[in-house]
Amino acid sequence: MEIKLEPEISLKEYQMLRGTTSWAKLTDRQVKKLLKHSAFKVRAKADGKTVGMARIIFDYGYTAYVSDVIVLADFQGHGIGKMMMEDLLARLKAASEPGGFLNVVLQAAPGKSGFYEKLGFTKRTEETGWGMCLRYNSN
Ligand SMILES: CC(C)(COP(=O)(O)OP(=O)(O)OC[C@H]1O[C@@H](n2cnc3c(N)ncnc32)[C@H](O)[C@@H]1OP(=O)(O)O)[C@@H](O)C(=O)NCCC(=O)NCCS
């Protein structure tokens, strides 16, 4: 199987990949905007077929947020998720300010924190300060 990474994700690919998860559905307008405003995107193709994606939102200062990391079920366990994350993180590091530091954050889906720990992410605790989130439903 030949895996190729490319720095783009189309609206159709995003909706197809997201549709394989149990995550909330997004409108096409939302997806167009989130793709336009993501600093780094990666799409994985296996023998020409789109099988995965991931993206990073970055303020070009010090905060980056990893989102929408998805590999199709039939292609999981082949190192594609890791390849995509390493690609994104390398591009993020290359775009960071010299002499500064980066804070890369994410929300791991249930059962997926081990995948991110292998990439160097650590879980926050009450002692280090929980990550928190607030969800709004738009009108
Ligand atoms: C999470 C996900 C992206 C992992 O992709 P993947 O291509 O199957 O992962 P990889 O094959 O690249 O795995 C890389 C390493 O992480 C490990 N790993 C993968 N999933 C793991 C998990 N759920 N828990 C612990 N370790 C995991 C692998 O064993 C591998 O370890 P190794 O380097 O020692 O061999 C994939 O399972 C997925 O798309 N899940 C559905 C969507 C989802 O929940 N995404 C996460 C959103 S936060």
mmCIF file of all heavy atoms in Angstrom, residues 25-44:
data_model
loop_
_atom_site.group_PDB
_atom_site.id
_atom_site.type_symbol
_atom_site.label_atom_id
_atom_site.label_comp_id
_atom_site.label_asym_id
_atom_site.label_seq_id
_atom_site.Cartn_x
_atom_site.Cartn_y
_atom_site.Cartn_z
ATOM 1 N N LYS A 25 -22.676 16.555 13.044
ATOM 2 C CA LYS A 25 -22.577 16.915 11.625
ATOM 3 C C LYS A 25 -22.381 18.420 11.496
ATOM 4 O O LYS A 25 -22.932 19.195 12.275
ATOM 5 C CB LYS A 25 -23.872 16.539 10.904
ATOM 6 C CG LYS A 25 -24.034 15.043 10.751
ATOM 7 C CD LYS A 25 -24.948 14.687 9.603
ATOM 8 C CE LYS A 25 -25.172 13.192 9.462
ATOM 9 N NZ LYS A 25 -24.105 12.341 9.948
ATOM 10 N N LEU A 26 -21.614 18.827 10.510
ATOM 11 C CA LEU A 26 -21.388 20.249 10.250
ATOM 12 C C LEU A 26 -21.991 20.605 8.898
ATOM 13 O O LEU A 26 -22.028 19.763 7.997
ATOM 14 C CB LEU A 26 -19.888 20.558 10.234
ATOM 15 C CG LEU A 26 -19.112 20.238 11.520
ATOM 16 C CD1 LEU A 26 -17.641 20.623 11.353
ATOM 17 C CD2 LEU A 26 -19.703 20.953 12.726
ATOM 18 N N THR A 27 -22.440 21.851 8.762
ATOM 19 C CA THR A 27 -22.969 22.277 7.460
ATOM 20 C C THR A 27 -21.799 22.498 6.497
ATOM 21 O O THR A 27 -20.655 22.722 6.927
ATOM 22 C CB THR A 27 -23.750 23.604 7.580
ATOM 23 O OG1 THR A 27 -22.819 24.642 7.950
ATOM 24 C CG2 THR A 27 -24.855 23.514 8.626
ATOM 25 N N ASP A 28 -22.098 22.478 5.204
ATOM 26 C CA ASP A 28 -21.047 22.727 4.215
ATOM 27 C C ASP A 28 -20.434 24.118 4.413
ATOM 28 O O ASP A 28 -19.235 24.318 4.210
ATOM 29 C CB ASP A 28 -21.602 22.600 2.792
ATOM 30 C CG ASP A 28 -21.816 21.132 2.398
ATOM 31 O OD1 ASP A 28 -21.416 20.226 3.171
ATOM 32 O OD2 ASP A 28 -22.380 20.901 1.314
ATOM 33 N N ARG A 29 -21.271 25.080 4.812
ATOM 34 C CA ARG A 29 -20.738 26.441 5.043
ATOM 35 C C ARG A 29 -19.716 26.427 6.171
ATOM 36 O O ARG A 29 -18.664 27.060 6.086
ATOM 37 C CB ARG A 29 -21.882 27.408 5.411
ATOM 38 C CG ARG A 29 -22.559 28.028 4.213
ATOM 39 C CD ARG A 29 -23.751 28.855 4.662
ATOM 40 N NE ARG A 29 -23.358 30.004 5.485
ATOM 41 C CZ ARG A 29 -23.047 31.191 4.989
ATOM 42 N NH1 ARG A 29 -23.080 31.400 3.692
ATOM 43 N NH2 ARG A 29 -22.717 32.190 5.795
ATOM 44 N N GLN A 30 -20.015 25.691 7.252
ATOM 45 C CA GLN A 30 -19.055 25.579 8.362
ATOM 46 C C GLN A 30 -17.751 24.951 7.882
ATOM 47 O O GLN A 30 -16.659 25.397 8.225
ATOM 48 C CB GLN A 30 -19.631 24.704 9.490
ATOM 49 C CG GLN A 30 -20.626 25.401 10.391
ATOM 50 C CD GLN A 30 -21.150 24.435 11.446
ATOM 51 O OE1 GLN A 30 -21.858 23.482 11.122
ATOM 52 N NE2 GLN A 30 -20.814 24.677 12.695
ATOM 53 N N VAL A 31 -17.892 23.897 7.098
ATOM 54 C CA VAL A 31 -16.691 23.171 6.657
ATOM 55 C C VAL A 31 -15.841 24.049 5.744
ATOM 56 O O VAL A 31 -14.617 24.088 5.871
ATOM 57 C CB VAL A 31 -17.077 21.840 5.968
ATOM 58 C CG1 VAL A 31 -15.844 21.150 5.408
ATOM 59 C CG2 VAL A 31 -17.791 20.930 6.957
ATOM 60 N N LYS A 32 -16.489 24.790 4.835
ATOM 61 C CA LYS A 32 -15.727 25.701 3.956
ATOM 62 C C LYS A 32 -14.906 26.657 4.793
ATOM 63 O O LYS A 32 -13.735 26.909 4.524
ATOM 64 C CB LYS A 32 -16.689 26.501 3.065
ATOM 65 C CG LYS A 32 -16.991 25.800 1.759
ATOM 66 C CD LYS A 32 -17.881 26.667 0.875
ATOM 67 C CE LYS A 32 -18.606 25.769 -0.105
ATOM 68 N NZ LYS A 32 -19.796 26.329 -0.672
ATOM 69 N N LYS A 33 -15.529 27.218 5.840
ATOM 70 C CA LYS A 33 -14.822 28.187 6.683
ATOM 71 C C LYS A 33 -13.706 27.542 7.477
ATOM 72 O O LYS A 33 -12.602 28.084 7.574
ATOM 73 C CB LYS A 33 -15.804 28.870 7.648
ATOM 74 C CG LYS A 33 -16.683 29.868 6.955
ATOM 75 C CD LYS A 33 -17.530 30.624 7.950
ATOM 76 C CE LYS A 33 -18.373 31.663 7.225
ATOM 77 N NZ LYS A 33 -19.272 32.385 8.117
ATOM 78 N N LEU A 34 -13.971 26.387 8.077
ATOM 79 C CA LEU A 34 -12.935 25.785 8.924
ATOM 80 C C LEU A 34 -11.740 25.334 8.079
ATOM 81 O O LEU A 34 -10.586 25.406 8.522
ATOM 82 C CB LEU A 34 -13.503 24.646 9.785
ATOM 83 C CG LEU A 34 -13.948 23.340 9.129
ATOM 84 C CD1 LEU A 34 -12.782 22.396 8.948
ATOM 85 C CD2 LEU A 34 -15.012 22.672 9.979
ATOM 86 N N LEU A 35 -12.007 24.932 6.839
ATOM 87 C CA LEU A 35 -10.886 24.533 5.977
ATOM 88 C C LEU A 35 -10.085 25.763 5.567
ATOM 89 O O LEU A 35 -8.855 25.756 5.583
ATOM 90 C CB LEU A 35 -11.401 23.788 4.741
ATOM 91 C CG LEU A 35 -11.956 22.382 5.009
ATOM 92 C CD1 LEU A 35 -12.586 21.805 3.744
ATOM 93 C CD2 LEU A 35 -10.858 21.441 5.529
ATOM 94 N N LYS A 36 -10.803 26.835 5.243
ATOM 95 C CA LYS A 36 -10.128 28.069 4.831
ATOM 96 C C LYS A 36 -9.244 28.620 5.947
ATOM 97 O O LYS A 36 -8.160 29.142 5.695
ATOM 98 C CB LYS A 36 -11.197 29.097 4.444
ATOM 99 C CG LYS A 36 -10.644 30.411 3.947
ATOM 100 C CD LYS A 36 -11.758 31.314 3.470
ATOM 101 C CE LYS A 36 -11.185 32.681 3.149
ATOM 102 N NZ LYS A 36 -12.211 33.689 2.988
ATOM 103 N N HIS A 37 -9.702 28.496 7.200
ATOM 104 C CA HIS A 37 -8.985 29.128 8.307
ATOM 105 C C HIS A 37 -8.095 28.173 9.096
ATOM 106 O O HIS A 37 -7.588 28.540 10.149
ATOM 107 C CB HIS A 37 -9.985 29.836 9.226
ATOM 108 C CG HIS A 37 -10.699 30.952 8.535
ATOM 109 N ND1 HIS A 37 -10.069 32.122 8.190
ATOM 110 C CD2 HIS A 37 -11.962 31.045 8.059
ATOM 111 C CE1 HIS A 37 -10.926 32.904 7.541
ATOM 112 N NE2 HIS A 37 -12.081 32.276 7.452
ATOM 113 N N SER A 38 -7.877 26.980 8.586
ATOM 114 C CA SER A 38 -6.917 26.075 9.227
ATOM 115 C C SER A 38 -5.522 26.402 8.703
ATOM 116 O O SER A 38 -5.326 26.526 7.493
ATOM 117 C CB SER A 38 -7.248 24.615 8.896
ATOM 118 O OG SER A 38 -8.499 24.274 9.437
ATOM 119 N N ALA A 39 -4.579 26.516 9.600
ATOM 120 C CA ALA A 39 -3.213 26.872 9.182
ATOM 121 C C ALA A 39 -2.554 25.722 8.419
ATOM 122 O O ALA A 39 -1.849 25.951 7.434
ATOM 123 C CB ALA A 39 -2.381 27.242 10.401
ATOM 124 N N PHE A 40 -2.769 24.498 8.902
ATOM 125 C CA PHE A 40 -2.132 23.330 8.288
ATOM 126 C C PHE A 40 -3.157 22.216 8.145
ATOM 127 O O PHE A 40 -3.858 21.889 9.095
ATOM 128 C CB PHE A 40 -0.959 22.832 9.147
ATOM 129 C CG PHE A 40 0.035 23.909 9.453
ATOM 130 C CD1 PHE A 40 0.115 24.456 10.720
ATOM 131 C CD2 PHE A 40 0.872 24.405 8.456
ATOM 132 C CE1 PHE A 40 1.017 25.476 11.003
ATOM 133 C CE2 PHE A 40 1.773 25.414 8.724
ATOM 134 C CZ PHE A 40 1.850 25.953 10.000
ATOM 135 N N LYS A 41 -3.197 21.649 6.946
ATOM 136 C CA LYS A 41 -4.107 20.535 6.689
ATOM 137 C C LYS A 41 -3.298 19.402 6.090
ATOM 138 O O LYS A 41 -2.309 19.642 5.394
ATOM 139 C CB LYS A 41 -5.179 20.939 5.669
ATOM 140 C CG LYS A 41 -6.155 21.962 6.173
ATOM 141 C CD LYS A 41 -6.979 22.562 5.062
ATOM 142 C CE LYS A 41 -6.281 23.771 4.495
ATOM 143 N NZ LYS A 41 -7.095 24.597 3.603
ATOM 144 N N VAL A 42 -3.742 18.193 6.347
ATOM 145 C CA VAL A 42 -3.102 17.059 5.691
ATOM 146 C C VAL A 42 -4.175 16.043 5.317
ATOM 147 O O VAL A 42 -5.134 15.830 6.058
ATOM 148 C CB VAL A 42 -1.994 16.425 6.582
ATOM 149 C CG1 VAL A 42 -2.548 15.858 7.872
ATOM 150 C CG2 VAL A 42 -1.230 15.345 5.816
ATOM 151 N N ARG A 43 -3.980 15.479 4.122
ATOM 152 C CA ARG A 43 -4.875 14.416 3.647
ATOM 153 C C ARG A 43 -3.980 13.231 3.323
ATOM 154 O O ARG A 43 -2.900 13.406 2.752
ATOM 155 C CB ARG A 43 -5.565 14.924 2.394
ATOM 156 C CG ARG A 43 -6.071 13.857 1.450
ATOM 157 C CD ARG A 43 -6.757 14.494 0.262
ATOM 158 N NE ARG A 43 -5.824 15.086 -0.694
ATOM 159 C CZ ARG A 43 -6.128 16.019 -1.583
ATOM 160 N NH1 ARG A 43 -7.335 16.514 -1.640
ATOM 161 N NH2 ARG A 43 -5.226 16.486 -2.418
ATOM 162 N N ALA A 44 -4.430 12.046 3.739
ATOM 163 C CA ALA A 44 -3.663 10.834 3.420
ATOM 164 C C ALA A 44 -4.394 10.064 2.341
ATOM 165 O O ALA A 44 -5.616 9.857 2.423
ATOM 166 C CB ALA A 44 -3.512 9.972 4.671
#
